[in-house]
Amino acid sequence: SQQGEEDPQALSIQEGENATMNCSYKTSINNLQWYRQNSGRGLVHLILIRSNEREKHSGRLRVTLDTSKKSSSLLITASRAADTASYFCATDAPGGNYQLIWGAGTKLIIKP
Amino acid sequence: NAGVTQTPKFRVLKTGQSMTLLCAQDMNHEYMYWYRQDPGMGLRLIHYSVGEGTTAKGEVPDGYNVSRLKKQNFLLGLESAAPSQTSVYFCASNSVPRETQYFGPGTRLLVL
Protein backbone atom coordinates (compact mmCIF):
# COMPACT_ATOMS: atom_id res chain seq x y z
CA SER A 1 0.00 0.00 0.00
CA GLN A 2 1.23 3.50 -0.74
CA GLN A 3 1.24 6.13 1.96
CA GLY A 4 2.90 8.92 0.02
CA GLU A 5 1.74 10.06 -3.38
CA GLU A 6 3.81 12.52 -5.36
CA ASP A 7 2.41 15.14 -7.66
CA PRO A 8 3.04 15.73 -10.50
CA GLN A 9 4.08 12.36 -11.90
CA ALA A 10 6.39 14.15 -14.35
CA LEU A 11 7.76 17.67 -14.62
CA SER A 12 9.84 19.23 -17.37
CA ILE A 13 11.36 22.69 -16.90
CA GLN A 14 14.13 24.85 -18.29
CA GLU A 15 17.49 24.98 -16.60
CA GLY A 16 17.59 27.81 -14.11
CA GLU A 17 13.88 27.61 -13.25
CA ASN A 18 12.56 26.40 -9.92
CA ALA A 19 10.97 22.96 -9.60
CA THR A 20 8.28 22.14 -7.08
CA MET A 21 6.93 18.69 -6.37
CA ASN A 22 4.41 17.63 -3.77
CA CYS A 23 3.78 14.62 -1.60
CA SER A 24 0.55 13.74 0.15
CA TYR A 25 0.11 11.04 2.75
CA LYS A 26 -2.79 9.47 4.57
CA THR A 27 -1.98 8.83 8.21
CA SER A 28 -0.11 10.62 10.97
CA ILE A 29 3.66 10.47 10.71
CA ASN A 30 6.77 11.06 12.80
CA ASN A 31 8.87 12.14 9.85
CA LEU A 32 8.89 12.47 6.09
CA GLN A 33 11.91 12.02 3.84
CA TRP A 34 12.79 12.96 0.28
CA TYR A 35 15.12 10.89 -1.90
CA ARG A 36 16.57 11.32 -5.38
CA GLN A 37 17.16 8.54 -7.89
CA ASN A 38 19.22 9.14 -10.99
CA SER A 39 18.42 6.89 -13.92
CA GLY A 40 19.65 3.35 -13.30
CA ARG A 41 21.04 4.14 -9.87
CA GLY A 42 20.14 3.64 -6.25
CA LEU A 43 18.24 6.18 -4.17
CA VAL A 44 20.08 8.95 -2.36
CA HIS A 45 18.70 10.61 0.75
CA LEU A 46 18.09 14.37 0.45
CA ILE A 47 16.25 15.65 3.51
CA LEU A 48 14.36 14.34 6.54
CA ILE A 49 11.76 16.61 8.12
CA ARG A 50 10.14 15.74 11.42
CA SER A 51 6.46 16.20 12.23
CA ASN A 52 7.19 19.14 14.53
CA GLU A 53 9.12 21.01 11.81
CA ARG A 54 7.49 23.15 9.16
CA GLU A 55 10.40 23.93 6.86
CA LYS A 56 13.91 22.70 6.22
CA HIS A 57 16.67 23.79 3.86
CA SER A 58 19.68 22.06 2.37
CA GLY A 59 21.60 24.00 -0.26
CA ARG A 60 19.17 24.62 -3.16
CA LEU A 61 16.55 22.36 -1.62
CA ARG A 62 13.66 23.57 0.52
CA VAL A 63 11.18 21.16 2.06
CA THR A 64 7.96 22.15 3.76
CA LEU A 65 5.62 20.01 5.81
CA ASP A 66 1.98 20.74 6.58
CA THR A 67 0.72 18.07 8.96
CA SER A 68 -2.81 19.52 8.99
CA LYS A 69 -3.06 18.91 5.23
CA LYS A 70 -0.91 15.78 5.36
CA SER A 71 1.32 17.11 2.63
CA SER A 72 4.91 18.09 1.91
CA SER A 73 6.59 19.94 -0.90
CA LEU A 74 10.14 19.84 -2.26
CA LEU A 75 11.41 22.97 -3.98
CA ILE A 76 14.60 22.89 -6.03
CA THR A 77 15.77 26.40 -6.85
CA ALA A 78 17.88 27.42 -9.85
CA SER A 79 17.65 23.96 -11.38
CA ARG A 80 20.58 22.36 -13.18
CA ALA A 81 20.82 19.58 -15.74
CA ALA A 82 22.26 17.37 -13.00
CA ASP A 83 18.96 17.66 -11.09
CA THR A 84 17.31 15.48 -13.75
CA ALA A 85 16.16 12.48 -11.73
CA SER A 86 13.17 10.92 -10.04
CA TYR A 87 12.24 12.20 -6.61
CA PHE A 88 10.49 10.10 -3.99
CA CYS A 89 8.92 10.89 -0.66
CA ALA A 90 8.82 8.32 2.12
CA THR A 91 7.01 8.37 5.43
CA ASP A 92 7.40 6.21 8.47
CA ALA A 93 4.69 3.58 8.58
CA PRO A 94 1.75 3.84 10.97
CA GLY A 95 1.85 1.47 13.88
CA GLY A 96 5.48 2.07 14.77
CA ASN A 97 7.09 -0.74 12.80
CA TYR A 98 10.40 -0.41 11.00
CA GLN A 99 9.17 0.26 7.51
CA LEU A 100 9.09 3.33 5.31
CA ILE A 101 6.18 3.77 2.94
CA TRP A 102 7.13 5.13 -0.49
CA GLY A 103 5.36 7.17 -3.10
CA ALA A 104 5.57 6.43 -6.82
CA GLY A 105 7.84 9.41 -7.47
CA THR A 106 8.03 12.53 -9.61
CA LYS A 107 10.20 12.34 -12.72
CA LEU A 108 11.96 15.69 -13.17
CA ILE A 109 13.59 16.62 -16.47
CA ILE A 110 15.71 19.77 -16.71
CA LYS A 111 16.05 21.02 -20.28
CA PRO A 112 19.29 22.83 -21.13
CA ASN B 1 34.19 2.90 2.72
CA ALA B 2 32.04 1.26 0.03
CA GLY B 3 28.65 1.86 1.72
CA VAL B 4 26.07 -0.63 0.45
CA THR B 5 27.05 -2.99 -2.35
CA GLN B 6 24.94 -5.48 -4.27
CA THR B 7 25.85 -8.45 -6.42
CA PRO B 8 25.15 -9.24 -9.16
CA LYS B 9 24.29 -6.07 -11.07
CA PHE B 10 22.23 -7.87 -13.69
CA ARG B 11 20.91 -11.38 -14.11
CA VAL B 12 18.68 -13.26 -16.52
CA LEU B 13 16.87 -16.33 -15.21
CA LYS B 14 14.55 -18.85 -16.71
CA THR B 15 11.24 -19.56 -15.01
CA GLY B 16 11.78 -22.04 -12.20
CA GLN B 17 15.46 -21.32 -11.68
CA SER B 18 16.79 -20.16 -8.32
CA MET B 19 19.25 -17.48 -7.37
CA THR B 20 20.57 -15.48 -4.44
CA LEU B 21 21.15 -11.75 -4.36
CA LEU B 22 23.82 -10.53 -1.98
CA CYS B 23 23.80 -7.22 -0.13
CA ALA B 24 26.74 -6.09 1.95
CA GLN B 25 27.20 -2.94 4.05
CA ASP B 26 30.28 -1.69 5.83
CA MET B 27 28.60 0.94 8.03
CA ASN B 28 27.83 -1.41 10.95
CA HIS B 29 24.11 -0.80 10.48
CA GLU B 30 21.67 -2.92 12.46
CA TYR B 31 18.76 -2.61 10.02
CA MET B 32 18.72 -3.90 6.47
CA TYR B 33 15.99 -4.02 3.86
CA TRP B 34 15.21 -5.58 0.50
CA TYR B 35 12.92 -3.69 -1.89
CA ARG B 36 11.70 -4.22 -5.39
CA GLN B 37 11.01 -1.36 -7.78
CA ASP B 38 8.67 -1.73 -10.72
CA PRO B 39 7.92 0.89 -13.40
CA GLY B 40 5.55 3.61 -12.23
CA MET B 41 5.54 2.38 -8.65
CA GLY B 42 7.39 3.29 -5.54
CA LEU B 43 9.58 0.90 -3.65
CA ARG B 44 7.87 -2.08 -2.11
CA LEU B 45 9.43 -3.77 0.89
CA ILE B 46 10.03 -7.50 0.50
CA HIS B 47 11.77 -8.46 3.74
CA TYR B 48 13.79 -6.67 6.36
CA SER B 49 16.09 -7.42 9.28
CA VAL B 50 16.47 -5.63 12.60
CA GLY B 51 19.75 -7.31 13.47
CA GLU B 52 21.99 -10.28 12.89
CA GLY B 53 20.03 -13.52 12.89
CA THR B 54 16.63 -11.80 12.50
CA THR B 55 14.33 -11.41 9.52
CA ALA B 56 10.77 -10.18 9.04
CA LYS B 57 8.25 -10.00 6.22
CA GLY B 58 7.50 -6.79 4.44
CA GLU B 59 4.71 -5.85 2.08
CA VAL B 60 5.42 -8.37 -0.72
CA PRO B 61 7.30 -11.36 0.76
CA ASP B 62 5.77 -14.21 -1.26
CA GLY B 63 8.25 -16.08 -3.45
CA TYR B 64 11.30 -14.74 -1.59
CA ASN B 65 13.37 -15.85 1.36
CA VAL B 66 16.10 -14.00 3.24
CA SER B 67 18.90 -14.67 5.67
CA ARG B 68 21.10 -12.47 7.85
CA LEU B 69 23.78 -14.75 9.23
CA LYS B 70 26.30 -11.92 9.52
CA LYS B 71 25.52 -8.35 10.51
CA GLN B 72 27.04 -6.92 7.34
CA ASN B 73 25.29 -9.23 4.87
CA PHE B 74 21.65 -9.65 3.89
CA LEU B 75 20.81 -12.30 1.30
CA LEU B 76 17.66 -12.44 -0.79
CA GLY B 77 16.75 -15.77 -2.36
CA LEU B 78 14.36 -16.71 -5.11
CA GLU B 79 13.68 -20.44 -4.91
CA SER B 80 11.68 -20.77 -8.13
CA ALA B 81 11.74 -17.62 -10.21
CA ALA B 82 8.60 -16.42 -11.96
CA PRO B 83 8.21 -13.75 -14.68
CA SER B 84 6.34 -11.60 -12.13
CA GLN B 85 9.62 -11.30 -10.24
CA THR B 86 11.20 -9.39 -13.10
CA SER B 87 12.15 -6.16 -11.38
CA VAL B 88 14.95 -4.04 -10.02
CA TYR B 89 15.94 -5.05 -6.51
CA PHE B 90 17.43 -2.61 -4.04
CA CYS B 91 19.04 -3.25 -0.71
CA ALA B 92 19.19 -0.56 1.95
CA SER B 93 20.46 -0.20 5.47
CA ASN B 94 20.33 2.23 8.38
CA SER B 95 21.25 2.62 12.01
CA VAL B 96 17.99 4.25 13.15
CA PRO B 97 14.74 2.62 12.04
CA ARG B 98 12.31 4.77 10.08
CA GLU B 99 15.02 7.33 9.33
CA THR B 100 17.63 7.84 6.62
CA GLN B 101 18.25 4.72 4.55
CA TYR B 102 21.40 4.10 2.50
CA PHE B 103 20.86 2.28 -0.76
CA GLY B 104 22.89 -0.03 -2.92
CA PRO B 105 23.09 0.43 -6.70
CA GLY B 106 20.46 -2.21 -7.44
CA THR B 107 20.21 -5.58 -9.20
CA ARG B 108 18.25 -5.78 -12.42
CA LEU B 109 16.59 -9.20 -12.73
CA LEU B 110 14.86 -10.51 -15.82
CA VAL B 111 12.91 -13.76 -15.56
CA LEU B 112 12.00 -15.31 -18.88
Side-chain angles (χ1 to χ4, degrees), chain B residues 90-102:
Chain B
F90 288 99
C91 176
S93 71
N94 61 6
S95 56
V96 180
R98 299 182 292 279
E99 297 207 355
T100 302
Q101 292 188 2
Y102 298 85

Side-chain angles (χ1 to χ4, degrees), chain A residues 48-73:
Chain A
L48 181 152
I49 187 165
R50 300 192 187 280
S51 59
N52 61 353
E53 298 175 308
R54 291 296 167 258
E55 189 170 309
K56 208 159 182 180
H57 296 255
S58 176
R60 294 183 295 112
L61 305 182
R62 172 179 167 247
V63 167
T64 61
L65 179 64
D66 187 334
T67 54
S68 66
K69 294 182 179 178
K70 293 187 171 60
S71 68
S72 173
S73 66

Side-chain angles (χ1 to χ4, degrees), chain A residues 17-86:
Chain A
E17 293 181 340
N18 296 341
T20 299
M21 53 206 88
N22 305 295
C23 171
S24 60
Y25 58 92
K26 297 172 185 166
T27 63
S28 61
I29 60 171
N30 294 309
N31 66 63
L32 183 145
Q33 304 179 49
W34 285 92
Y35 288 77
R36 182 189 72 231
Q37 183 180 34
N38 291 93
S39 181
R41 309 288 292 272
L43 281 76
V44 175
H45 180 259
L46 297 175
I47 288 183
L48 181 152
I49 187 165
R50 300 192 187 280
S51 59
N52 61 353
E53 298 175 308
R54 291 296 167 258
E55 189 170 309
K56 208 159 182 180
H57 296 255
S58 176
R60 294 183 295 112
L61 305 182
R62 172 179 167 247
V63 167
T64 61
L65 179 64
D66 187 334
T67 54
S68 66
K69 294 182 179 178
K70 293 187 171 60
S71 68
S72 173
S73 66
L74 170 66
L75 168 67
I76 303 174
T77 60
S79 62
R80 305 168 181 169
D83 295 327
T84 293
S86 291

Side-chain angles (χ1 to χ4, degrees), chain A residues 1-2 30-31 33 35 37 40-45 48 50 88 92-93 96-105, chain B residues 31 33 35 37 40-45 48 50 57-59 90 97-106 108:
Chain A
S1 61
Q2 286 183 309
N30 294 309
N31 66 63
Q33 304 179 49
Y35 288 77
Q37 183 180 34
R41 309 288 292 272
L43 281 76
V44 175
H45 180 259
L48 181 152
R50 300 192 187 280
F88 295 88
D92 56 332
N97 64 28
Y98 298 97
Q99 302 179 37
L100 295 180
I101 306 297
W102 298 82
Chain B
Y31 306 92
Y33 312 84
Y35 293 97
Q37 184 178 39
M41 300 184 72
L43 298 176
R44 291 186 292 168
L45 184 65
Y48 64 100
V50 301
K57 293 180 181 179
E59 182 185 355
F90 288 99
R98 299 182 292 279
E99 297 207 355
T100 302
Q101 292 188 2
Y102 298 85
F103 282 81
R108 190 172 296 273

Side-chain angles (χ1 to χ4, degrees), chain B residues 28-92:
Chain B
N28 202 36
H29 286 165
E30 286 292 337
Y31 306 92
M32 297 188 73
Y33 312 84
W34 275 108
Y35 293 97
R36 59 178 289 172
Q37 184 178 39
D38 300 295
M41 300 184 72
L43 298 176
R44 291 186 292 168
L45 184 65
I46 305 171
H47 287 279
Y48 64 100
S49 168
V50 301
E52 181 179 318
T54 75
T55 63
K57 293 180 181 179
E59 182 185 355
V60 288
D62 293 342
Y64 305 95
N65 56 74
V66 288
S67 65
R68 183 119 179 252
L69 299 179
K70 294 183 179 180
K71 185 176 184 179
Q72 63 267 34
N73 295 337
F74 195 27
L75 278 65
L76 177 71
L78 286 74
E79 290 185 348
S80 178
S84 61
Q85 294 177 304
T86 292
S87 189
V88 182
Y89 291 86
F90 288 99
C91 176

